[in-house]
Amino acid sequence: MDSRVVVLTGASSGIGRAAALAFAARGDKVVLAARGLADLEKVAAECGGDALVVPADVTVREEVDALARAALDRFGRIDVWADTAAVMVYGRFEDIPPHVFDRVVTADLLGPANVARAALRVFRAQGHGTLITASSLVGHITAPNMSAYSTAKWGLRALSRTLRQETRDAPDIHVCQLVPGSVDTPIYTSAANYAGFVGRPPPPVDSAERMGAAVVRLADRPRRELSVGATNRLIEFGFVAMPPVYDLLVGPLMGRLGLSQRRTPPSSGNVFASRPRVEGGPARFGRAAVGAAAAGAVALSGVAALALRRGAATPWRRAGGGAGVRRK
């Protein structure tokens, strides 16, 4: 393929940084955007070539529009726009200050909406383009202590599907969504926190590089959604098919696996302002934690298998109007 022009919002760390490096290694021209200039410049140096750095906050529509103009002024087009910018807050809903909750939803839902608006305007004008948004497994499920993040990601999933419906008249415009499971990135340790313990990605944990490669894969071969995570589908199945079992297990598992044992005072983290990048976090797990994850997976799998067996063994007959009625 020829070299592409790729705009990356959220490029200063985590998945965005990994994707930027992967695109640059492939020979694509990259435009790097995030709130923190110092970290962006470090990523640009790692990318090499003529990487363009444009500090921008996705929650500020004017800055997103200026980012699009800067990319067009430098390169003349935008072929791919990958948005991975996000912030997070831990804590029970009632313990999270309202202004922090609102800011997380703004950054993780209205921010991507700003990006989509700017990207689609360019794509419509040039007749092609691929928009990639980063959702999350918690855009398909819910978990205690993550109400704001989950709310935003569920909304982003709805927005992405709507955009796909509204661009059906433009076959060369693609709207894709990456759905990562647990990833070793700074978002957990830099998150706002009102849960009392530093957050961490529950096992199994993927690398940011694997997710960055998935972003490139979506750019190469656009598809509606790409879920990356060994247990994503199992967890989603448990959430949808067995709500009582899921709700029974998710609280204890989140407390054991989603929060570390390192205490932390209440803090707004990087929700309102960027912080210097520190890759990774307390993602190491002892045998007890790994055992808890395995036990939870086994429990879900066992109940799922039982439910499927019972469903297969239940005879059905057709009744008036075509409705399926269980035979007694």
Side-chain angles (χ1 to χ4, degrees):
M1 293 177 62
D2 295 332
S3 175
R4 296 169 295 200
V5 177
V6 183
V7 177
L8 299 110
T9 37
S12 62
S13 68
I15 298 173
R17 171 179 172 270
L21 296 176
F23 278 116
R26 183 194 172 283
D28 292 322
K29 297 174 173 58
V30 294
V31 181
L32 310 177
R35 294 179 298 177
L37 176 59
D39 284 334
L40 279 178
E41 290 177 334
K42 292 177 183 177
V43 177
E46 293 178 274
C47 289
D50 55 355
L52 176 62
V53 170
V54 184
D57 185 336
V58 296
T59 67
V60 182
R61 188 176 304 117
E62 294 77 12
E63 294 186 11
V64 177
D65 292 340
L67 168 61
R69 288 194 299 270
L72 293 174
D73 289 344
R74 170 70 72 88
F75 299 113
R77 69 183 195 277
I78 300 173
D79 300 307
V80 179
W81 194 318
D83 177 42
T84 61
V87 295
M88 195 160 66
V89 57
Y90 286 101
R92 294 189 304 177
F93 172 76
E94 60 204 80
D95 295 332
I96 299 172
H99 68 290
V100 176
F101 183 97
D102 293 352
R103 178 67 177 184
V104 171
V105 173
T106 297
D108 296 350
L109 176 55
L110 301 187
N114 289 335
V115 166
R117 191 176 292 111
L120 290 176
R121 187 183 305 124
V122 174
F123 295 166
R124 287 286 189 183
Q126 64 191 21
H128 75 276
T130 300
L131 172 64
I132 302 169
T133 60
S135 182
S136 168
L137 176 59
V138 296
H140 291 249
I141 65 167
T142 60
N145 291 305
M146 301 189 72
S147 57
Y149 191 70
S150 186
T151 296
K153 294 301 185 181
W154 275 75
L156 179 56
R157 183 181 168 201
L159 175 63
S160 296
R161 180 159 183 173
T162 303
L163 295 181
R164 286 193 290 270
Q165 295 166 347
E166 293 179 353
T167 54
R168 289 176 63 86
D169 62 320
D172 292 326
I173 295 177
H174 307 281
V175 179
C176 310
Q177 193 159 70
L178 175 68
V179 182
S182 292
V183 187
D184 189 13
T185 77
I187 193 171
Y188 303 93
T189 51
S190 60
N193 199 305
Y194 301 90
F197 297 91
V198 176
R200 62 182 177 181
V205 181
D206 282 310
S207 68
E209 288 71 25
R210 185 183 182 203
M211 298 301 163
V215 173
V216 175
R217 194 155 71 247
L218 282 171
D220 290 343
R221 296 179 295 278
R223 54 189 288 186
R224 296 163 60 90
E225 185 176 281
L226 177 59
S227 182
V228 184
T231 58
N232 283 14
R233 296 306 186 190
L234 173 63
I235 295 171
E236 290 175 34
F237 178 82
F239 178 81
V240 172
M242 301 169 290
V245 177
Y246 177 90
D247 290 346
L248 177 67
L249 295 175
V250 68
L253 288 174
M254 179 64 186
R256 176 68 67 87
L257 305 175
L259 298 173
S260 69
Q261 296 182 343
R262 198 172 87 199
R263 293 187 175 274
T264 184
S267 166
S268 61
N270 71 342
V271 168
F272 295 97
S274 63
R275 289 183 170 183
R277 183 186 83 225
V278 179
E279 292 296 328
R284 294 181 177 275
F285 295 90
R287 292 181 179 177
V290 174
V298 169
L300 276 176
S301 299
V303 177
L306 179 61
L308 289 173
R309 283 199 301 270
R310 286 181 174 176
T314 301
W316 295 79
R317 61 179 173 84
R318 305 299 294 177
V325 179
R326 178 176 289 178
R327 180 182 298 161
K328 293 184 179 179

